[in-house]
Amino acid sequence: MDKPDGEPPATGTPGATGIPTPGPASLDKPAPPPGPADSGRTVSGPARPSWPGPALGRPFPPPRPTNTTAVTALVVALVSLATCPLIGGVAVYLGNRARTEIRSTGEQGDGLALAGVIVGWCAIGISALILLFMVAYFGFFAIMFGAMFATGV
């Protein structure tokens, strides 16, 4: 009762005939089929990324820091819109100062500083419109009461 390939018959103990017994991990799920990246090469460890690195093996330069005055200018400008538009002048000053610092030091944040300047000027414009409206409103009442008292009504 030999097997056709010449092996002796299996006895009751697994592994006694040289046939490997499957472990619990191999019974849970089958091994994945080889993919196109596995054809013809042996890889030990994780796969390398497919994008190219820096030229000539030089490391990437560290990122430039963001100017904190630029961030402060934008925050003050947004706060001035939400609370008191007169604070927009402080945002314009900080934004212009930050842009000057950025040009001299090469830091990042020129867009933040410019946004602080623009939003600061918008806040100043809103406060000017509010002031103009208040002058017109109270001026109208002053004219009405003045005319009323002058005619004796």
Side-chain angles (χ1 to χ4, degrees):
M1 290 218 191
D2 287 341
K3 291 188 178 179
D5 57 355
E7 291 183 14
T11 59
T13 57
T17 61
I19 301 172
T21 57
S26 65
L27 292 177
D28 291 343
K29 57 183 176 182
D38 294 335
S39 61
R41 68 181 180 114
T42 304
V43 178
S44 62
R48 300 181 78 191
S50 61
W51 60 86
L56 301 175
R58 290 176 286 180
F60 289 110
R64 296 179 297 167
T66 303
N67 189 303
T68 55
T69 310
V71 175
T72 306
L74 183 60
V75 168
V76 168
L78 293 174
V79 167
S80 73
L81 279 179
T83 58
C84 178
L86 292 174
I87 304 173
V90 175
V92 170
Y93 168 74
L94 288 173
N96 286 327
R97 183 174 140 198
R99 293 189 80 197
T100 304
E101 289 177 7
I102 288 168
R103 286 188 200 111
S104 65
T105 61
E107 292 177 319
Q108 290 183 346
D110 188 51
L112 295 173
L114 182 61
V117 169
I118 291 171
V119 174
W121 277 115
C122 290
I124 290 172
I126 289 171
S127 65
L129 286 175
I130 290 172
L131 182 65
L132 184 65
F133 175 75
M134 289 176 64
V135 167
Y137 182 76
F138 289 117
F140 173 75
F141 281 118
I143 291 172
M144 292 300 292
F145 286 126
M148 201 166 61
F149 289 125
T151 58
V153 174

